[in-house]
Amino acid sequence: MHIVSLEKACYAELRAVGSKAYNLSKMIQHVSYIPKGFVLTSHALHSFLTFNQIEIKAEDSSVIEKKIQSGTFPLALQKEIVSSYANIQGAGVKAVAVRSSSALEDLENASFAGQYETILNVRNREELLTSIKKCWASYFSSVVQAYAEDKEISLSNPQMGVLVQGMVEADVSGVIFSVNPITESEDEVVINVAYGLGEGIVSGGVTPDLFIIHKQTKSIMKELGLKEYKLVSGFTGITKAVTTDKEKNKFSISDETALQLLRLTNQVEQYCQYAVDIEFAIKNEHIYLLQVRPVTTY
């Protein structure tokens, strides 16, 4: 099976669809506002490698990276990708985010989070096909290879899914930890949030607003972030936009919205039964859940 819908990804093998898609798929029955999408399984990658005669055990990883990016899709697989893309476009999706989803992410002794490729604001099938190849190629990047070697993890059998999901052109977005990663307090939820797309926060380029909420008392401690810029969707790709003085000098979300995010976090944590790291976006006051993973930072 080369492609599964995001809704059905949780019924596939974890090693086929990867942690990102698998965990998000499990939440669809429990949380509203998860953008529609589909997942290319690791079987799609293996078919691509075979079709392009790429021998991963016989070639240097940098060579494999280049061969993947210059390779061509088997016709049947390309048709399946284009058909799946057309289906979510028919559901009102204008642009997609293309995210690597490896089964090796979020292991107990290692986290590959942030080391694989993510491409945002993909708006046509040519960009989509190129983006999928970039995600696959990132599995063989020098950074991933070095990290895997340091953690004594074998990469000889690629377990890389690719999640293609409707893009939320966020007014604000951010990251939530259901446990305070600094103090390790399980009574506190920590929210980092800023204007625009969340990649600015994840990359460390934007200093977000900080909210720390006590789970029982609902008391909020907050700190204004610099919010140096915001990332927004352009005609193609992502662009940096200036944050105004007014935006910098006020919090990007209200206390009421922060408490809504607390309720979402409690709901997700209760379902998962472990401390969670959540990525979210807010558009027109709707909160979208973009990613759920175990907390690995403390």
Side-chain angles (χ1 to χ4, degrees):
M1 186 182 299
H2 288 147
I3 294 179
V4 294
S5 67
L6 179 57
E7 289 84 356
K8 294 182 179 178
C10 59
Y11 301 112
E13 289 185 294
L14 172 61
R15 64 183 180 179
V17 297
S19 299
K20 189 173 288 150
Y22 185 82
N23 290 334
L24 195 58
S25 178
K26 287 195 298 184
M27 297 309 306
I28 287 177
Q29 302 301 321
H30 306 278
V31 176
S32 302
Y33 296 112
I34 294 178
K36 290 187 175 296
F38 61 91
V39 186
L40 278 82
T41 69
S42 56
H43 304 300
L45 171 56
H46 286 281
S47 293
F48 181 90
L49 294 172
T50 300
F51 184 77
N52 288 278
Q53 300 181 322
I54 300 172
E55 297 284 343
I56 64 171
K57 293 180 181 178
E59 300 185 80
D60 182 78
S61 59
S62 62
V63 174
I64 296 171
E65 266 193 285
K66 291 176 184 176
K67 284 189 173 183
I68 289 174
Q69 296 203 46
S70 61
T72 55
F73 286 87
L75 185 58
L77 175 57
Q78 181 167 319
K79 284 183 176 179
E80 198 174 349
I81 293 168
V82 170
S83 174
S84 298
Y85 179 50
N87 284 341
I88 63 172
Q89 283 183 307
V93 171
K94 295 179 181 178
V96 296
V98 182
R99 303 178 186 272
S100 305
S101 179
S102 169
L104 295 178
E105 289 178 283
D106 311 326
L107 302 175
E108 286 187 11
N109 64 331
S111 172
F112 287 79
Q115 297 185 24
Y116 299 115
E117 191 70 65
T118 291
I119 302 94
L120 303 177
N121 197 31
V122 174
R123 291 184 173 267
N124 58 59
R125 68 183 189 180
E126 288 74 23
E127 287 180 17
L128 173 60
L129 295 171
T130 299
S131 299
I132 291 167
K133 291 193 288 184
K134 285 181 179 178
C135 287
W136 283 339
S138 70
Y139 184 90
F140 301 95
S141 71
S142 57
V143 173
V144 169
Q145 296 291 315
Y147 185 77
E149 185 176 342
D150 181 62
K151 296 294 183 179
E152 299 181 347
I153 296 171
S154 172
L155 299 179
S156 60
N157 180 27
Q159 298 175 21
M160 171 67 84
V162 176
L163 171 59
V164 179
Q165 192 177 20
M167 174 89 177
V168 179
E169 297 185 358
D171 300 320
V172 298
S173 53
V175 178
I176 308 172
F177 297 94
S178 71
V179 57
N180 191 319
I182 305 300
T183 66
E184 300 186 12
S185 171
E186 296 180 359
D187 293 325
E188 294 177 334
V189 164
V190 175
I191 303 172
N192 292 305
V193 58
Y195 301 111
L197 305 175
E199 295 302 305
I201 296 174
V202 173
S203 68
V206 172
T207 308
D209 294 330
L210 170 67
F211 288 74
I212 300 177
I213 310 177
H214 194 278
K215 290 179 179 177
Q216 279 73 48
T217 67
K218 309 295 190 295
S219 63
I220 300 175
M221 188 203 80
K222 55 187 178 179
E223 183 177 307
L224 199 65
L226 295 174
K227 302 184 289 290
E228 293 89 343
Y229 59 86
K230 56 185 173 184
L231 294 178
V232 297
S233 300
F235 182 70
T236 59
I238 302 301
T239 60
K240 280 186 181 181
V242 175
T243 43
T244 64
D245 289 340
K246 182 178 179 180
E247 288 174 325
K248 289 178 180 178
N249 293 324
K250 72 171 186 175
F251 286 96
S252 50
I253 59 172
S254 65
D255 288 0
E256 180 183 351
T257 300
L259 291 174
Q260 287 181 319
L261 291 169
L262 171 66
R263 289 192 288 272
L264 171 64
T265 304
N266 288 340
Q267 184 180 358
V268 173
E269 185 180 46
Q270 185 174 5
Y271 173 79
C272 292
Q273 291 295 296
Y274 52 73
V276 291
D277 171 351
I278 292 171
E279 289 185 24
F280 71 92
I282 301 177
K283 178 68 175 178
N284 296 332
E285 299 185 0
H286 291 305
I287 298 172
Y288 293 86
L289 182 65
L290 303 182
Q291 184 169 325
V292 176
R293 53 190 290 266
V295 172
T296 56
T297 56
Y298 78 108

